[in-house]
Amino acid sequence: MRKIMICGCGGSGKSALARQLGERLNLPVTHLDMEYYDECWQPLDSEAFTQRQRALVAEGEWVLDGNYASTMPIRLTAADTVIFLDLPGLTCLWGILQRRHQHHGSDALSRHLRGRITWGFIRYILGYRRTMRPKVDALIAEHASSHVITLRSRRQVRRFLNDLHVGSGRA
């Protein structure tokens, strides 16, 4: 595992898993939200974001976390490992609330989320498995030529990390 893509619903723990994998495997970590938005949380135009991802996947080693379905094929074709965090909606919603509480809005993403937690956003999180998972599954089936790991609970994520053989980079 030297080129790892992590995707899943908001609040599923993509960023935390990316940080932990980066530390354990000594890989650089990029959170796509931090690439997509500028310091004022204005999004990049789609072509600039596409080019940024092409440059990131051209590197020899990486962990990339984020969804962005329109550019997911770029990451899927380059990754040697795809991790799909397919957690229940309530678990993801709880993850978002925990992040806000833990960081008290002190990290950049928590500050950004402060204004984005609306009823529409909550419905999106709770409906992710019904609406977005089929799209993500289809993208993975079409573009991933690598090892795909689907984790469906926080317990499975912890077990995956505990079973990770750091020397070989294999789980």
Side-chain angles (χ1 to χ4, degrees):
M1 291 191 313
R2 305 312 293 169
K3 296 180 178 186
I4 305 168
M5 175 190 153
I6 303 171
C7 60
C9 184
S12 62
K14 295 182 301 294
S15 295
L17 179 58
R19 280 191 303 275
Q20 290 172 340
L21 286 172
E23 289 170 10
R24 290 177 186 213
L25 301 173
N26 196 30
L27 296 173
V29 175
T30 301
H31 307 289
L32 289 179
D33 281 342
M34 306 314 284
E35 299 295 321
Y36 183 66
Y37 295 102
D38 67 16
E39 61 279 350
C40 297
W41 289 102
Q42 297 302 310
L44 282 178
D45 69 78
S46 62
E47 184 55 36
F49 189 50
T50 297
Q51 291 307 319
R52 179 67 186 132
Q53 286 182 71
R54 286 195 176 119
L56 287 167
V57 301
E59 299 293 323
E61 299 179 326
W62 41 264
V63 178
L64 297 175
D65 89 74
N67 287 314
Y68 302 98
S70 64
T71 57
M72 200 175 276
I74 294 169
R75 299 183 308 281
L76 285 168
T77 56
D80 62 34
T81 305
V82 175
I83 302 173
F84 181 23
L85 297 180
D86 184 22
L87 279 63
L90 286 175
T91 302
C92 295
L93 189 57
W94 181 246
I96 290 168
L97 296 174
Q98 279 186 309
R99 181 184 184 116
R100 284 193 59 194
H101 177 71
Q102 282 177 331
H103 296 280
H104 304 290
S106 62
D107 69 329
L109 189 56
S110 292
R111 285 193 302 276
H112 172 60
L113 285 173
R114 184 180 301 136
R116 293 190 58 213
I117 298 181
T118 63
W119 284 114
F121 183 64
I122 291 169
R123 281 192 305 274
Y124 170 79
I125 297 297
L126 295 176
Y128 182 89
R129 280 181 143 179
R130 187 182 69 258
T131 60
M132 286 303 296
R133 179 176 55 187
K135 295 173 187 173
V136 173
D137 284 340
L139 286 166
I140 289 171
E142 183 178 350
H143 298 284
S145 58
S146 57
H147 183 57
V148 178
I149 301 166
T150 301
L151 303 171
R152 291 187 170 85
S153 69
R154 298 264 190 245
R155 178 177 285 161
Q156 284 184 353
V157 173
R158 283 190 303 273
R159 193 174 302 134
F160 169 77
L161 285 168
N162 288 336
D163 292 346
L164 189 65
H165 301 293
V166 176
S168 66
R170 294 185 129 16

